[in-house]
Amino acid sequence: MEVKLILCPIDFSEFSIRAYHHALSLAEHYRAKVVALHVVELFRFPSAGFAASAGLYDEFCQAARESGKEQLQGFVKNHAHDEIHPELVVHQGIASDSILLFAQTQKTDVIVMGTHGRRGYDRLMLGSVTGRVIRRAPCPVLAVCKPPHDSMASDRERGHDHHLRRIIFCTDFSKNSERALNYAISATEEYDAELTLLHVLEDVPSPAKTEGAIAAATEQLDKLIPPEGRKTLKIKTAVRIGKPYRQIIQLALETQADMVAMGVHGRGTLDLAVFGSTTYRVMQLGPCPVLAVHV
């Protein structure tokens, strides 16, 4: 996994603060460039309609952009990093569209963003900014919601919010998860971390067949480990039974995981079943950031 350009959308909420800290620490580790992007969405300004009817729309837009630029400058100053000096970009438009367009045209390697911003619980809805970005992004998206757990406190004091020690890769053995595995293995090697390959059995026919099902899943997980990684990387497997998102979250809590890597579906499947999406539930309820890799 080569990381040269990190895009971090900023809406000035506490969630974008956490995401920005992760973006800075990733940039420090990979010696990458960070772009802090703020999108001015005019529909959020009640006075926009009045400005348009009064013929002052262009002036209003300019003033909104200038205000956004000043806020972004203040944000970066308040969360300064000694080594990383981000590029500041302010766009006007729809947040998700602007983020995706920038990522596509500038060949962004990873997007780091909060799982929800100033709109609060819209993280549960299909129309959330992060949800749209994850479904359509041309690169992986690191979704940050919860603050890091206590085991990361010492790193946080040194500015390494996202120093990875333990990574969980979740798979259902579909092609959707293959690309996410590559990123998980790469990050494991990069950070000298410990990687757990996890599969959750949701529907076991009967207790009598449980042992066989676990053995079969374990064998499939073992086949995912690259031959060159068996001796050089710290990789283990785990098979659990139950609701996938609950078991993923439970394992993340037990192991104090620093990141969960998962593949996500694109438009269509996820759009139709967002509330039942394992990835979305882990993002909402899990204890650590989730690296969502779009197929």
Side-chain angles (χ1 to χ4, degrees), residues 39-72:
V39 182
V40 176
E41 296 182 301
L42 293 181
F43 66 85
R44 299 190 180 282
F45 293 84
S47 53
F50 171 79
S53 62
L56 303 173
Y57 189 70
D58 290 341
E59 292 181 24
F60 178 84
C61 292
Q62 180 64 28
R65 287 193 296 269
E66 288 298 326
S67 176
K69 183 177 180 181
E70 291 177 6
Q71 283 184 281
L72 187 58

Tab-separated table of all heavy atoms in Angstrom, residues 39-72:
chain	number	residue	atom	x	y	z
A	39	VAL	N	-15.936	21.833	2.238
A	39	VAL	CA	-16.911	22.098	1.180
A	39	VAL	C	-17.996	23.019	1.711
A	39	VAL	O	-18.667	22.697	2.707
A	39	VAL	CB	-17.533	20.792	0.644
A	39	VAL	CG1	-18.512	21.107	-0.484
A	39	VAL	CG2	-16.448	19.835	0.160
A	40	VAL	N	-18.173	24.154	1.056
A	40	VAL	CA	-19.217	25.100	1.412
A	40	VAL	C	-20.504	24.677	0.698
A	40	VAL	O	-20.582	24.711	-0.530
A	40	VAL	CB	-18.837	26.540	1.010
A	40	VAL	CG1	-19.984	27.506	1.309
A	40	VAL	CG2	-17.568	26.975	1.735
A	41	GLU	N	-21.491	24.243	1.470
A	41	GLU	CA	-22.784	23.840	0.910
A	41	GLU	C	-23.773	24.978	1.137
A	41	GLU	O	-24.243	25.198	2.259
A	41	GLU	CB	-23.262	22.545	1.566
A	41	GLU	CG	-22.348	21.359	1.280
A	41	GLU	CD	-22.863	20.067	1.900
A	41	GLU	OE1	-23.026	20.031	3.124
A	41	GLU	OE2	-23.112	19.110	1.143
A	42	LEU	N	-24.099	25.688	0.096
A	42	LEU	CA	-24.911	26.905	0.225
A	42	LEU	C	-26.315	26.651	0.741
A	42	LEU	O	-26.935	27.539	1.327
A	42	LEU	CB	-24.973	27.628	-1.116
A	42	LEU	CG	-23.646	28.228	-1.612
A	42	LEU	CD1	-23.860	28.935	-2.934
A	42	LEU	CD2	-23.055	29.186	-0.590
A	43	PHE	N	-26.827	25.427	0.530
A	43	PHE	CA	-28.190	25.172	0.991
A	43	PHE	C	-28.281	25.184	2.516
A	43	PHE	O	-29.370	25.206	3.078
A	43	PHE	CB	-28.717	23.842	0.436
A	43	PHE	CG	-27.993	22.619	0.946
A	43	PHE	CD1	-28.352	22.035	2.151
A	43	PHE	CD2	-26.969	22.042	0.204
A	43	PHE	CE1	-27.711	20.903	2.607
A	43	PHE	CE2	-26.314	20.921	0.662
A	43	PHE	CZ	-26.683	20.335	1.862
A	44	ARG	N	-27.142	25.181	3.187
A	44	ARG	CA	-27.147	25.254	4.638
A	44	ARG	C	-27.263	26.689	5.149
A	44	ARG	O	-27.392	26.906	6.342
A	44	ARG	CB	-25.872	24.625	5.201
A	44	ARG	CG	-25.745	23.172	4.831
A	44	ARG	CD	-24.619	22.503	5.585
A	44	ARG	NE	-24.538	21.103	5.191
A	44	ARG	CZ	-25.342	20.149	5.629
A	44	ARG	NH1	-26.300	20.449	6.470
A	44	ARG	NH2	-25.212	18.912	5.216
A	45	PHE	N	-27.186	27.650	4.235
A	45	PHE	CA	-27.268	29.056	4.628
A	45	PHE	C	-28.680	29.571	4.354
A	45	PHE	O	-29.077	29.692	3.184
A	45	PHE	CB	-26.261	29.897	3.836
A	45	PHE	CG	-24.824	29.586	4.163
A	45	PHE	CD1	-24.182	28.529	3.540
A	45	PHE	CD2	-24.133	30.342	5.088
A	45	PHE	CE1	-22.856	28.236	3.834
A	45	PHE	CE2	-22.805	30.055	5.388
A	45	PHE	CZ	-22.168	29.006	4.761
A	46	PRO	N	-29.455	29.894	5.373
A	46	PRO	CA	-30.829	30.379	5.182
A	46	PRO	C	-30.895	31.641	4.320
A	46	PRO	O	-31.889	31.875	3.633
A	46	PRO	CB	-31.307	30.667	6.616
A	46	PRO	CG	-30.442	29.819	7.483
A	46	PRO	CD	-29.105	29.790	6.804
A	47	SER	N	-29.848	32.443	4.351
A	47	SER	CA	-29.872	33.712	3.614
A	47	SER	C	-29.504	33.559	2.155
A	47	SER	O	-29.526	34.541	1.396
A	47	SER	CB	-28.913	34.714	4.271
A	47	SER	OG	-27.629	34.155	4.427
A	48	ALA	N	-29.179	32.350	1.701
A	48	ALA	CA	-28.776	32.155	0.308
A	48	ALA	C	-29.913	32.502	-0.647
A	48	ALA	O	-29.699	33.108	-1.696
A	48	ALA	CB	-28.314	30.720	0.087
A	49	GLY	N	-31.144	32.106	-0.282
A	49	GLY	CA	-32.286	32.398	-1.138
A	49	GLY	C	-32.523	33.884	-1.278
A	49	GLY	O	-32.818	34.390	-2.367
A	50	PHE	N	-32.386	34.590	-0.183
A	50	PHE	CA	-32.557	36.046	-0.229
A	50	PHE	C	-31.501	36.690	-1.115
A	50	PHE	O	-31.804	37.588	-1.913
A	50	PHE	CB	-32.471	36.623	1.189
A	50	PHE	CG	-32.431	38.131	1.214
A	50	PHE	CD1	-33.602	38.867	1.046
A	50	PHE	CD2	-31.227	38.800	1.385
A	50	PHE	CE1	-33.559	40.259	1.045
A	50	PHE	CE2	-31.181	40.183	1.398
A	50	PHE	CZ	-32.354	40.924	1.226
A	51	ALA	N	-30.251	36.235	-0.991
A	51	ALA	CA	-29.167	36.801	-1.796
A	51	ALA	C	-29.427	36.585	-3.279
A	51	ALA	O	-29.170	37.466	-4.107
A	51	ALA	CB	-27.830	36.188	-1.387
A	52	ALA	N	-29.961	35.403	-3.614
A	52	ALA	CA	-30.239	35.111	-5.021
A	52	ALA	C	-31.342	36.017	-5.559
A	52	ALA	O	-31.244	36.560	-6.664
A	52	ALA	CB	-30.634	33.640	-5.167
A	53	SER	N	-32.411	36.206	-4.768
A	53	SER	CA	-33.528	37.034	-5.233
A	53	SER	C	-33.142	38.502	-5.302
A	53	SER	O	-33.705	39.262	-6.085
A	53	SER	CB	-34.732	36.846	-4.297
A	53	SER	OG	-34.403	37.262	-2.979
A	54	ALA	N	-32.166	38.888	-4.493
A	54	ALA	CA	-31.752	40.296	-4.486
A	54	ALA	C	-30.625	40.576	-5.470
A	54	ALA	O	-30.108	41.697	-5.534
A	54	ALA	CB	-31.314	40.690	-3.077
A	55	GLY	N	-30.209	39.571	-6.231
A	55	GLY	CA	-29.138	39.762	-7.204
A	55	GLY	C	-27.759	39.833	-6.587
A	55	GLY	O	-26.817	40.326	-7.208
A	56	LEU	N	-27.635	39.361	-5.364
A	56	LEU	CA	-26.349	39.423	-4.666
A	56	LEU	C	-25.717	38.037	-4.521
A	56	LEU	O	-24.837	37.825	-3.687
A	56	LEU	CB	-26.555	40.022	-3.265
A	56	LEU	CG	-27.189	41.409	-3.210
A	56	LEU	CD1	-27.483	41.784	-1.761
A	56	LEU	CD2	-26.274	42.431	-3.871
A	57	TYR	N	-26.144	37.112	-5.348
A	57	TYR	CA	-25.749	35.719	-5.180
A	57	TYR	C	-24.240	35.520	-5.316
A	57	TYR	O	-23.620	34.825	-4.510
A	57	TYR	CB	-26.478	34.843	-6.195
A	57	TYR	CG	-26.301	33.361	-5.966
A	57	TYR	CD1	-26.903	32.735	-4.872
A	57	TYR	CD2	-25.525	32.592	-6.834
A	57	TYR	CE1	-26.742	31.380	-4.657
A	57	TYR	CE2	-25.359	31.234	-6.618
A	57	TYR	CZ	-25.965	30.642	-5.533
A	57	TYR	OH	-25.795	29.303	-5.316
A	58	ASP	N	-23.629	36.113	-6.331
A	58	ASP	CA	-22.187	35.950	-6.537
A	58	ASP	C	-21.399	36.472	-5.345
A	58	ASP	O	-20.432	35.845	-4.895
A	58	ASP	CB	-21.732	36.658	-7.814
A	58	ASP	CG	-22.236	35.959	-9.073
A	58	ASP	OD1	-22.600	34.772	-8.968
A	58	ASP	OD2	-22.268	36.606	-10.143
A	59	GLU	N	-21.828	37.636	-4.843
A	59	GLU	CA	-21.137	38.204	-3.683
A	59	GLU	C	-21.326	37.313	-2.459
A	59	GLU	O	-20.398	37.129	-1.659
A	59	GLU	CB	-21.682	39.609	-3.384
A	59	GLU	CG	-21.343	40.642	-4.460
A	59	GLU	CD	-21.892	42.010	-4.089
A	59	GLU	OE1	-22.105	42.263	-2.882
A	59	GLU	OE2	-22.123	42.809	-5.014
A	60	PHE	N	-22.519	36.776	-2.316
A	60	PHE	CA	-22.800	35.892	-1.187
A	60	PHE	C	-21.933	34.639	-1.255
A	60	PHE	O	-21.356	34.213	-0.241
A	60	PHE	CB	-24.281	35.498	-1.192
A	60	PHE	CG	-24.657	34.540	-0.099
A	60	PHE	CD1	-24.963	35.015	1.165
A	60	PHE	CD2	-24.688	33.173	-0.328
A	60	PHE	CE1	-25.300	34.129	2.190
A	60	PHE	CE2	-25.023	32.299	0.679
A	60	PHE	CZ	-25.328	32.771	1.945
A	61	CYS	N	-21.815	34.057	-2.444
A	61	CYS	CA	-20.994	32.851	-2.627
A	61	CYS	C	-19.532	33.126	-2.278
A	61	CYS	O	-18.875	32.322	-1.608
A	61	CYS	CB	-21.101	32.343	-4.067
A	61	CYS	SG	-22.728	31.684	-4.499
A	62	GLN	N	-19.048	34.265	-2.748
A	62	GLN	CA	-17.669	34.637	-2.467
A	62	GLN	C	-17.437	34.801	-0.960
A	62	GLN	O	-16.438	34.334	-0.409
A	62	GLN	CB	-17.318	35.944	-3.196
A	62	GLN	CG	-15.896	36.443	-2.974
A	62	GLN	CD	-14.856	35.492	-3.530
A	62	GLN	OE1	-15.118	34.759	-4.485
A	62	GLN	NE2	-13.674	35.486	-2.933
A	63	ALA	N	-18.379	35.458	-0.307
A	63	ALA	CA	-18.264	35.664	1.139
A	63	ALA	C	-18.309	34.331	1.891
A	63	ALA	O	-17.571	34.123	2.868
A	63	ALA	CB	-19.385	36.582	1.620
A	64	ALA	N	-19.151	33.405	1.419
A	64	ALA	CA	-19.252	32.089	2.067
A	64	ALA	C	-17.957	31.312	1.914
A	64	ALA	O	-17.491	30.649	2.851
A	64	ALA	CB	-20.420	31.307	1.467
A	65	ARG	N	-17.364	31.392	0.731
A	65	ARG	CA	-16.094	30.705	0.502
A	65	ARG	C	-14.977	31.302	1.365
A	65	ARG	O	-14.152	30.584	1.927
A	65	ARG	CB	-15.716	30.745	-0.973
A	65	ARG	CG	-16.564	29.832	-1.866
A	65	ARG	CD	-15.946	29.680	-3.236
A	65	ARG	NE	-15.901	30.935	-3.960
A	65	ARG	CZ	-16.869	31.368	-4.771
A	65	ARG	NH1	-17.958	30.625	-4.947
A	65	ARG	NH2	-16.759	32.513	-5.410
A	66	GLU	N	-14.955	32.624	1.453
A	66	GLU	CA	-13.929	33.289	2.269
A	66	GLU	C	-14.089	32.912	3.743
A	66	GLU	O	-13.106	32.687	4.457
A	66	GLU	CB	-14.029	34.807	2.099
A	66	GLU	CG	-13.557	35.313	0.744
A	66	GLU	CD	-12.089	35.012	0.497
A	66	GLU	OE1	-11.299	35.041	1.475
A	66	GLU	OE2	-11.726	34.727	-0.666
A	67	SER	N	-15.331	32.849	4.195
A	67	SER	CA	-15.586	32.458	5.574
A	67	SER	C	-15.123	31.025	5.827
A	67	SER	O	-14.515	30.722	6.856
A	67	SER	CB	-17.079	32.592	5.896
A	67	SER	OG	-17.367	32.124	7.196
A	68	GLY	N	-15.422	30.139	4.863
A	68	GLY	CA	-14.990	28.752	4.977
A	68	GLY	C	-13.477	28.635	5.009
A	68	GLY	O	-12.915	27.832	5.766
A	69	LYS	N	-12.810	29.451	4.205
A	69	LYS	CA	-11.341	29.431	4.169
A	69	LYS	C	-10.763	29.870	5.511
A	69	LYS	O	-9.814	29.272	6.030
A	69	LYS	CB	-10.843	30.345	3.053
A	69	LYS	CG	-9.339	30.349	2.878
A	69	LYS	CD	-8.921	31.226	1.714
A	69	LYS	CE	-7.404	31.239	1.540
A	69	LYS	NZ	-7.000	32.118	0.400
A	70	GLU	N	-11.342	30.924	6.086
A	70	GLU	CA	-10.870	31.410	7.385
A	70	GLU	C	-11.079	30.361	8.481
A	70	GLU	O	-10.211	30.152	9.339
A	70	GLU	CB	-11.601	32.701	7.753
A	70	GLU	CG	-11.217	33.897	6.883
A	70	GLU	CD	-12.014	35.141	7.235
A	70	GLU	OE1	-12.774	35.092	8.234
A	70	GLU	OE2	-11.896	36.152	6.521
A	71	GLN	N	-12.242	29.709	8.444
A	71	GLN	CA	-12.513	28.663	9.427
A	71	GLN	C	-11.536	27.501	9.283
A	71	GLN	O	-11.053	26.954	10.277
A	71	GLN	CB	-13.943	28.142	9.269
A	71	GLN	CG	-15.014	29.038	9.840
A	71	GLN	CD	-16.394	28.400	9.722
A	71	GLN	OE1	-17.014	28.423	8.655
A	71	GLN	NE2	-16.862	27.819	10.808
A	72	LEU	N	-11.241	27.139	8.037
A	72	LEU	CA	-10.322	26.031	7.791
A	72	LEU	C	-8.912	26.381	8.263
A	72	LEU	O	-8.220	25.548	8.862
A	72	LEU	CB	-10.315	25.677	6.305
A	72	LEU	CG	-9.526	24.430	5.902
A	72	LEU	CD1	-10.048	23.197	6.642
A	72	LEU	CD2	-9.596	24.214	4.388
